[in-house]
């Protein structure tokens, strides 16, 4: 599937050398999509999740670009989850896209990263939270605006420690993403002084995610499943696969808060955020898209705005020049999160606060007060420079 969100203009090269013709900056969006199930119908991702954020950012870029002889266009291509991403990526490159936002799996991203480098294309990962993409599989031509699992876990752990809720029970699913987030939570416990007093696996038995027997079966199952656990302050849940996590709040054997992928959830953004000018972007987004902004929308918006900011500041659409400026000390992007955001020079991950919220409101944002760092408090979230295994060529 290919969608041109902005009308194409004359096919000039990105350097803008053709007289007074505008510099055209073509941004591709490669998306792995299939309809998803969720335990609650309210949690089913919007059909245009992520893409809508990129659309708004391209419109924002064009507002400034119209005065500077710059025109931004967005082209979206969809593939199936698990499909070979190379053909769709090559199609974007053939159409002149020298910047590509990716919302694909870690495996799919790795499969096109070196192709992108050969083609002189800069990638922005807006969807995959896998730490390995910023560490062992990092690439100099790949920037990341989606937070890592370790950043999400650290943001949650800081808040729990600030509350002095130090004893945690960890319940995780049986799928690979669930185990990865569980490992991130265990790393955060060790890093910040939390204690995981028990760990329990919830095996996916392959039954319907919305049980035909309704809440009665769930009401009976979850208390029994959480019975007999050691004394604890919080139940941590790692269920990225949406098999059981939503059923835990208010159904545990003893009354304890639930946090992780259900209950108090860490994220890149929250639909109810109105701080730091958040009302402005939320209103503009809702007026154009017809819904509230979710995390992937913000990650895509930030990626496309990073490109726009760098193009504006350098006066160039050349990918190498844009990437060099984004890496420089002169770059920052204002993203409605309390401070200007920058990219870590050791793995090209966007520094950003982590929102902690439930389905209705923002409870807090991390880093929490008292978690200090010699460079940036945002670097208390995720893999810091001394820990990194990334070697950028």
């Amino acid at each position: 599937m290919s969608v041109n969100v902005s009308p194409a203009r004359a096919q000039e090269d990105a350097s803008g050398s053709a007289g007074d013709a505008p510099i055209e900056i073509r941004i591709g969006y490669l998306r792995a999509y299939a309809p998803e199930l969720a335990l609650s119908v309210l949690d089913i991702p919007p059909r245009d999740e992520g893409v809508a954020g990129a659309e708004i950012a391209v419109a924002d870029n064009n507002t400034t670009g119209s005065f500077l002889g710059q025109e931004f266009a967005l082209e979206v291509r969809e593939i199936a989850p698990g499909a070979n991403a190379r053909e769709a990526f090559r199609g974007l490159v053939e159409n002149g896209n020298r910047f590509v936002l990716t919302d694909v799996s870690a495996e799919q991203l790795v499969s096109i990263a070196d192709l992108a480098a050969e083609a002189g294309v800069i990638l922005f990962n807006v969807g995959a939270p896998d730490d390995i993409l910023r560490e062992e599989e990092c690439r100099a031509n790949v920037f990341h605006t989606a937070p890592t699992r370790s950043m999400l876990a650290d943001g949650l752990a800081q808040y729990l420690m600030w509350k002095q809720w130090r004893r945690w029970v960890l319940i995780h699913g049986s799928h690979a993403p669930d185990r990865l987030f569980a490992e991130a939570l265990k790393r955060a416990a060790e890093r910040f002084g939390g204690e995981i007093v028990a760990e329990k696996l919830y095996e996916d038995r392959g039954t319907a995610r919305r049980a035909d027997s309704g809440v009665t079966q769930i009401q009976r199952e979850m208390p029994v499943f959480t019975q007999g656990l050691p004394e604890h302050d919080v139940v941590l849940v790692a269920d990225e696969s949406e098999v059981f996590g939503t059923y835990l709040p208010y159904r545990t054997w003893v009354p304890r808060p639930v946090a992780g992928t259900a209950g108090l959830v860490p994220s890149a953004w929250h639909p109810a955020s109105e701080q730091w000018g958040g009302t402005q972007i939320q209103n503009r987004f809702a007026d154009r898209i017809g819904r509230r902004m979710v995390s992937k929308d913000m990650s895509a918006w930030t990626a496309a705005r990073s490109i726009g900011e760098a193009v504006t500041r350098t006066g160039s659409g050349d990918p190498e020049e844009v990437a060099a400026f984004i890496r420089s000390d002169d770059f920052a992007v204002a993203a409605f999160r309390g401070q200007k955001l920058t990219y870590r020079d050791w793995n090209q991950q966007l520094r950003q606060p982590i929102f902690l919220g439930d389905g209705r409101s923002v409870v807090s944002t991390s880093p929490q007060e008292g978690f200090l760092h010699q460079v940036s408090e945002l670097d208390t979230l995720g893999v810091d420079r001394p820990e990194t295994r990334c070697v950028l060529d």
Side-chain angles (χ1 to χ4, degrees):
M1 175 180 172
S2 177
V3 181
N4 285 314
V5 178
S6 310
R9 295 280 293 267
Q11 294 293 316
E12 308 295 348
D13 77 82
S15 66
S17 58
D20 294 329
I23 301 173
E24 185 179 35
I25 298 91
R26 298 188 61 83
I27 301 173
Y29 195 116
L30 181 60
R31 183 187 194 205
Y33 175 79
E36 294 182 26
L37 288 175
L39 294 179
S40 167
V41 294
L42 299 180
D43 293 332
I44 296 175
R47 178 64 177 84
D48 57 354
E49 180 189 30
V51 174
E55 289 181 18
I56 297 298
V58 166
D60 292 346
N61 290 348
N62 280 325
T63 298
T64 302
S66 63
F67 297 101
L68 301 173
Q70 300 162 354
E71 182 180 5
F72 295 80
L74 180 69
E75 179 182 353
V76 182
R77 292 203 175 198
E78 288 185 354
I79 59 175
N84 190 319
R86 294 186 177 191
E87 182 178 352
F89 174 74
R90 289 192 183 101
L92 288 171
V93 175
E94 289 169 0
N95 285 350
N97 296 282
R98 293 296 176 263
F99 304 93
V100 176
L101 279 54
T102 66
D103 179 13
V104 296
S105 70
E107 294 77 13
Q108 289 170 319
L109 180 53
V110 168
S111 76
I112 64 171
D114 293 336
L115 289 177
E118 293 169 5
V121 172
I122 304 300
L123 303 179
F124 285 81
N125 167 29
V126 306
D130 305 73
D131 284 82
I132 194 172
L133 293 174
R134 290 78 161 172
E135 298 302 316
E136 295 90 343
E137 294 290 351
C138 67
R139 301 290 194 280
N141 65 316
V142 183
F143 294 86
H144 307 271
T145 57
T148 62
R149 289 186 178 92
S150 62
M151 293 171 67
L152 297 171
D154 287 354
L156 176 58
Q158 285 190 14
Y159 179 72
L160 298 181
M161 296 305 293
W162 183 83
K163 288 289 293 178
Q164 299 187 43
W165 297 343
R166 302 174 181 274
R167 295 170 59 82
W168 310 339
V169 164
L170 173 59
I171 302 176
H172 63 85
S174 55
H175 297 277
D178 310 331
R179 293 193 294 268
L180 288 171
F181 189 50
E183 289 301 317
L185 291 168
K186 287 190 276 189
R187 172 188 174 275
E190 182 176 352
R191 191 178 195 193
F192 297 112
E195 181 184 3
I196 296 179
V197 298
E199 182 178 340
K200 194 165 185 179
L201 169 68
Y202 188 98
E203 192 73 44
D204 184 0
R205 300 184 296 273
T207 54
R209 296 189 180 189
R210 298 192 191 105
D212 293 337
S213 54
V215 299
T216 302
Q217 178 180 341
I218 299 160
Q219 185 168 321
R220 291 173 178 169
E221 179 183 355
M222 285 303 165
V224 173
F225 183 78
T226 56
Q227 185 179 9
L229 295 170
E231 180 59 33
H232 56 283
D233 300 313
V234 180
V235 174
L236 296 183
V237 56
D239 177 36
E240 291 188 19
S241 304
E242 276 285 310
V243 172
F244 70 97
T246 302
Y247 296 150
L248 278 171
Y250 309 109
R251 296 187 176 100
T252 54
W253 184 264
V254 295
R256 294 293 183 271
V258 174
T261 58
L264 184 66
V265 178
S267 60
W269 181 250
H270 195 285
S273 178
E274 296 181 332
Q275 290 182 290
W276 308 305
T279 300
Q280 174 192 347
I281 186 69
Q282 295 274 28
N283 288 345
R284 285 196 292 114
F285 189 92
D287 287 345
R288 176 162 178 162
I289 306 301
R291 59 175 176 82
R292 302 288 284 185
M293 201 174 197
V294 297
S295 287
K296 199 171 288 184
D297 295 318
M298 178 51 80
S299 292
W301 183 92
T302 305
R305 279 295 299 128
S306 294
I307 298 166
E309 178 68 16
V311 169
T312 296
R313 295 287 299 277
T314 62
S316 171
D318 178 71
E320 288 189 11
E321 289 187 47
V322 168
F325 183 76
I326 291 174
R327 296 186 192 103
S328 75
D329 293 338
D330 294 326
F331 176 83
V333 60
F336 307 97
R337 283 173 271 187
Q339 55 190 294
K340 291 187 175 182
L341 307 182
T342 60
Y343 291 83
R344 292 169 176 158
D345 59 11
W346 60 90
N347 63 5
Q348 303 194 147
Q349 168 65 49
L350 182 75
R351 294 180 172 97
Q352 58 190 294
I354 297 300
F355 288 76
L356 304 169
D358 58 13
R360 304 290 297 177
S361 65
V362 177
V363 174
S364 185
T365 56
S366 289
Q368 296 293 318
E369 182 181 356
F371 290 87
L372 305 178
H373 192 277
Q374 64 271 29
V375 177
S376 168
E377 291 179 1
L378 293 174
D379 286 341
T380 64
L381 305 173
V383 175
D384 200 359
R385 185 190 301 274
E387 306 168 284
T388 189
R389 297 178 297 279
C390 175
V391 179
L392 294 172
D393 297 329

